[in-house]
Amino acid sequence: MHPTEAERSVDAPLFSPLCPSAAARLSACCHGGAKMAVLAYSLGKREINQYFSIKNAKLLSLLAVIILTVFHSVSRYYGGGDTCEWLLSSGRFLGESVWQPYGCMMHKYRSNEAKSCLRQKRVAFVGDSRIRQLFYSYIRIINPDVREDGIKHENIPFEDRSSSVNVDFFWFAEVNNSLKEHLIAWTEDTTIKPDVIIMGAATWSIKLHSGSSESLHQYRSNLSAITQFLEKLAEDSEVYWVLQDPVYEEMLSDNRKMITNQQIDLYNDAALGTLNSSKRNSKARVKILSASREAAMETIAQSVDGLHLPESTRSVGAMVLMNSVCNKVLKSIDGSCCSPLPPLNVLQKLSALVFLASVAGFATLNVLGYNKHRKSKLVSDVESGEEKKPASAGLKSPLQAVCKMGLIMAYFYLCDRANVFMKEQKFYTHSTFFIPLIYIFVLGIFYIENSREAKLLNREQTDEWKGWMQLVILIYHISGASAFIPVYMHVRVLVAAYLFQTGYGHFSFFWLKGDFGLYRVCQVLFRLNFLVVVLCLVMDRPYQFYYFVPLVSFWFAVIYGSLAMWPQILQKKANGSGFWHLAVLLKLLGLLSFICLFAYSQGIFDSVFSVWPISTLFELQGSVHEWWFRWKLDRFVVIHGMLFAFAYLVLQKCQVLSEGKGEPLFSTRISNFLLFVSVVSFLTYSIWASSCKNKTECNELHPYISVVQILAFILIRNIPGYARSLYSSFFAWFGKISLELFICQYHIWLAADTKGILVLVPGNPMLNIIISTFIFVCVAHEISQITNDLAQVAIPKESGALLKRLLGVAGLLVAVLLLSMLEKGRQ
């Protein structure tokens, strides 16, 4: 999980072209048209990569961000950027029943949330039978067991005693003097005045007067008479006027035939032209609800009588009203419509000051012409051991990296905390998941190349593995595929495979190199946690919110602790005696016992991770339940990875394996047998996962059987020599920045902390995905380089300097934790 992209030049192509030797070998075995196809394939990739370098891509993404930020800011300022207005006025259906307001996300309120929001409030619905339908849909959010058993053409009360919520329906089929007197009574007596008023009427006026022009004129006159009272009520209460929904004229009964869509449009125009016409006080305005009309235009054909709406459409209007009233109270993260901007806390302000100070420092050094750098020796990557270009030892280079990080964090904040860009809800269909999946695998095949070595799970292959898994996970998240259990269970295996690689990679490193030094530990933990720590400060989220990083960091610490403690057993020591191999297995058995102790005793687990300051790292919303769920779900897979690494390295040392290019891993008979077993195991797991009906039950089995598909994949991928000798540079490129991709998606690709989708280009979902993905990938790659650069500066190799720096970091973290506690106390 530790990319080494810093060793690449920023001018390097996005995906390396086919090497000349590989192209020559391929050409040698081809004739005629096939030879021309191979040549075109190779030249095509060279042509793409010649003009499309990562440096050019980042400049283009920066330009796109600037243009889009200016566009959305200007549009909001001049074109009306009120998400409350968007919520009430327009939207569309995703599928058949999911309503998507324009530009923002609508929270689906549950009963307990509605009661909390409306506690000790009075809500009044005033109007005809259509408003009565809306009334029933609204109170069903509060109490799903309510039935429509009220007397028609009569007032209907509703009270929830547990929360002291009163929701009443008042029958006023026409806008007349009786309604006016009722409104006057509310303005004069504050003890009976509702906190929320929802009104609407017109169809009875059309019906009783046969749609005459005199009736329309009287309707407009009566609306004018009550407008001043509605505006007065709107000074202290929320007042909504519901525009009339269309009718399905073919299904109307004979006594309703005069209620035509043309008449309804005339009455709606009269309401729009009359209400809020005075404009004396922008705050005391009647809000117009037209979103339910937009929804009804698509579903009115399902009406049973041509006049009244189907249940699903009525629920849209009720949920829109609940969001309009409650989002500013409960501030649900996935209810971005009508939700206020969160205020900056102390840590966010301090973070902004640090970034601004870095910009000032960097600008000062440039003005003064400061360019003094000490020469640094080449450093080795903590995982691969490969040498890479070091960062400059002077101040200018780290300040520049911090400045870049500050600009990137500003983009993160604009995307997911400021009301600049739009957000939309996820909606799963099989096509939104499987079509992109097929597309990326075709791209991956296009970039297949010869690997530099043919060892089992070599560096290029593991990067490829991480890359395609990360791309699948990204598609899974943006498509909302967690709703489809077979896909969910397969993605759970991919997450487990990442942790399997953690166990495999770190065990291999410690076993072969025996480097248990503090420098190695700090490098790995810095690489894993730098971005997340910065996001916790800037985006005001707890550490556990980015659950994968705490998970990987925890398991690295466990692997390190179990292997570093006495006796430290390395491959060099174990070669002389089989006793040491047994000792390693005993260590792993002890680790397994430790895992089982925590897994089967939640009380012990909670008591350990609920102690301050550990609790600040692992709690989410005041509980360690989420950490318990994530940890327990893949509790055995890390030790599976360690055992596999141990078995592989022992077999390799005993020269049991054939790892030459083109050679099968074992003898032909054994290879064929293992391939058959692996394919059967892989397919068996997939069939089981596809038959899952309940997430909870399948998750209980997942820790025990996920390793089956992981091992099956490894053997299928590595037993054939030709498969082991090839890899996809496309997937490997993404594998090097897989950690950044996983974390960055939370805020600059998805939205509302992964609950929705970021909309940079409204009105064109395909173009929006293309542009937002392009920017997202460029940002992730840049963060990877910044992290590698700062790791070399922040973590010195000298033990004394490193210990001093660790003490300073510890003091800083304690200060951050204390400030965070004070901030929570104020809230």
Side-chain angles (χ1 to χ4, degrees), residues 230-453:
L230 291 177
E231 291 182 350
K232 187 172 182 181
L233 287 168
E235 291 177 1
D236 301 310
S237 305
E238 294 187 59
V239 181
Y240 298 87
W241 183 268
V242 183
L243 292 185
Q244 293 299 300
D245 301 320
V247 296
Y248 192 52
E249 296 179 15
E250 296 177 7
M251 293 188 66
L252 290 173
S253 59
D254 290 339
N255 64 338
R256 291 173 175 169
K257 287 293 184 183
M258 70 291 296
I259 307 175
T260 64
N261 286 319
Q262 183 180 8
Q263 284 288 322
I264 284 174
D265 289 342
L266 290 173
Y267 276 73
N268 281 337
D269 290 341
L272 290 171
T274 304
L275 297 172
N276 301 322
S277 58
S278 64
K279 298 183 180 179
R280 60 179 182 174
N281 186 349
S282 60
K283 292 184 178 180
R285 292 175 63 83
V286 178
K287 300 174 183 179
I288 305 297
L289 174 59
S290 58
S292 58
R293 172 177 168 79
E294 294 280 326
M297 291 176 72
E298 298 186 33
T299 61
I300 190 62
Q302 302 170 22
S303 171
V304 295
D305 59 7
L307 179 68
H308 297 101
L309 300 178
E311 176 64 32
S312 60
T313 312
R314 284 183 272 156
S315 299
V316 168
M319 197 60 72
V320 165
L321 286 169
M322 192 67 76
N323 273 258
S324 181
V325 173
C326 293
N327 282 0
K328 52 183 165 290
V329 178
L330 299 186
K331 301 175 184 176
S332 302
I333 191 65
D334 62 340
S336 64
C337 300
C338 217
S339 185
L341 284 173
L344 291 173
N345 62 27
V346 175
L347 291 174
Q348 287 174 307
K349 292 175 182 177
L350 289 175
S351 301
L353 285 175
V354 169
F355 287 128
L356 289 173
S358 300
V359 172
F362 181 69
T364 302
L365 291 179
N366 273 332
V367 170
L368 297 176
Y370 180 85
N371 198 29
K372 296 179 181 179
H373 304 302
R374 297 195 307 269
K375 291 184 178 180
S376 301
K377 296 180 180 180
L378 291 175
V379 296
S380 296
D381 176 66
V382 294
E383 182 176 323
S384 66
E386 298 173 1
E387 289 187 335
K388 59 185 180 181
K389 184 180 176 181
S392 300
L395 280 174
K396 191 172 181 181
S397 181
L399 279 177
Q400 184 180 23
V402 174
C403 290
K404 288 180 180 179
M405 197 68 183
L407 289 173
I408 290 171
M409 287 300 106
Y411 178 62
F412 271 74
Y413 191 88
L414 289 176
C415 286
D416 212 19
R417 291 295 178 269
N419 282 332
V420 175
F421 301 115
M422 299 177 180
K423 302 176 178 69
E424 288 191 353
Q425 291 144 203
K426 300 176 185 178
F427 180 72
Y428 176 74
T429 62
H430 291 324
S431 60
T432 57
F433 177 76
F434 288 104
I435 290 177
L437 200 64
I438 294 169
Y439 179 72
I440 65 158
F441 275 100
V442 169
L443 274 177
I445 292 170
F446 181 72
Y447 279 93
I448 283 180
E449 301 180 12
N450 283 347
S451 58
R452 285 178 290 183
E453 57 182 345

Side-chain angles (χ1 to χ4, degrees), residues 65 146 249 273 387 446 485 502 571 573 579 605 675 708 735 737 745:
V65 167
V146 171
E249 296 179 15
E387 289 187 335
F446 181 72
I485 295 180
T502 297
Q571 188 183 58
K573 181 187 289 188
F579 168 79
F605 187 94
L675 272 176
V708 172
I737 58 169
Q745 67 169 323

Side-chain angles (χ1 to χ4, degrees), residues 427-624:
F427 180 72
Y428 176 74
T429 62
H430 291 324
S431 60
T432 57
F433 177 76
F434 288 104
I435 290 177
L437 200 64
I438 294 169
Y439 179 72
I440 65 158
F441 275 100
V442 169
L443 274 177
I445 292 170
F446 181 72
Y447 279 93
I448 283 180
E449 301 180 12
N450 283 347
S451 58
R452 285 178 290 183
E453 57 182 345
K455 290 183 179 180
L456 183 143
L457 290 181
N458 58 70
R459 181 57 186 258
E460 290 163 328
Q461 188 185 132
T462 53
D463 283 339
E464 174 201 83
W465 191 9
K466 287 187 287 187
W468 71 256
M469 288 195 302
Q470 185 57 61
L471 292 176
V472 171
I473 290 172
L474 291 175
I475 296 170
Y476 164 84
H477 281 153
I478 201 166
S479 64
S482 60
F484 186 47
I485 295 180
V487 172
Y488 168 83
M489 292 308 302
H490 280 88
V491 170
R492 291 262 53 87
V493 175
L494 300 188
V495 175
Y498 270 104
L499 295 173
F500 181 94
Q501 285 198 47
T502 297
Y504 172 85
H506 291 305
F507 180 91
S508 299
F509 180 89
F510 290 128
W511 176 258
L512 294 173
K513 298 192 176 182
D515 182 3
F516 295 99
L518 192 58
Y519 174 77
R520 155 80 181 178
V521 174
C522 292
Q523 281 277 335
V524 171
L525 292 178
F526 183 92
R527 176 69 187 81
L528 289 173
N529 290 274
F530 171 70
L531 173 58
V532 165
V533 170
V534 174
L535 284 176
C536 289
L537 297 174
V538 173
M539 305 303 287
D540 188 25
R541 283 293 171 266
Y543 180 64
Q544 181 57 35
F545 176 74
Y546 307 93
Y547 73 91
F548 188 72
V549 169
L551 201 58
V552 177
S553 300
F554 170 83
W555 283 116
F556 169 73
V558 169
I559 295 166
Y560 175 82
S562 60
L563 296 179
M565 66 184 232
W566 185 89
Q568 289 182 5
I569 307 169
L570 312 179
Q571 188 183 58
K572 294 178 182 178
K573 181 187 289 188
N575 286 340
S577 170
F579 168 79
W580 293 114
H581 290 114
L582 180 60
V584 171
L585 292 175
L586 288 174
K587 271 196 172 188
L588 294 179
L589 182 61
L591 177 57
L592 180 62
S593 302
F594 161 81
I595 293 169
C596 291
L597 174 66
F598 277 80
Y600 300 116
S601 179
Q602 189 175 356
I604 296 176
F605 187 94
D606 289 346
S607 63
V608 170
F609 290 102
S610 297
V611 176
W612 194 91
I614 297 175
S615 60
T616 58
L617 298 177
F618 298 106
E619 283 186 351
L620 191 63
Q621 298 177 344
S623 170
V624 295

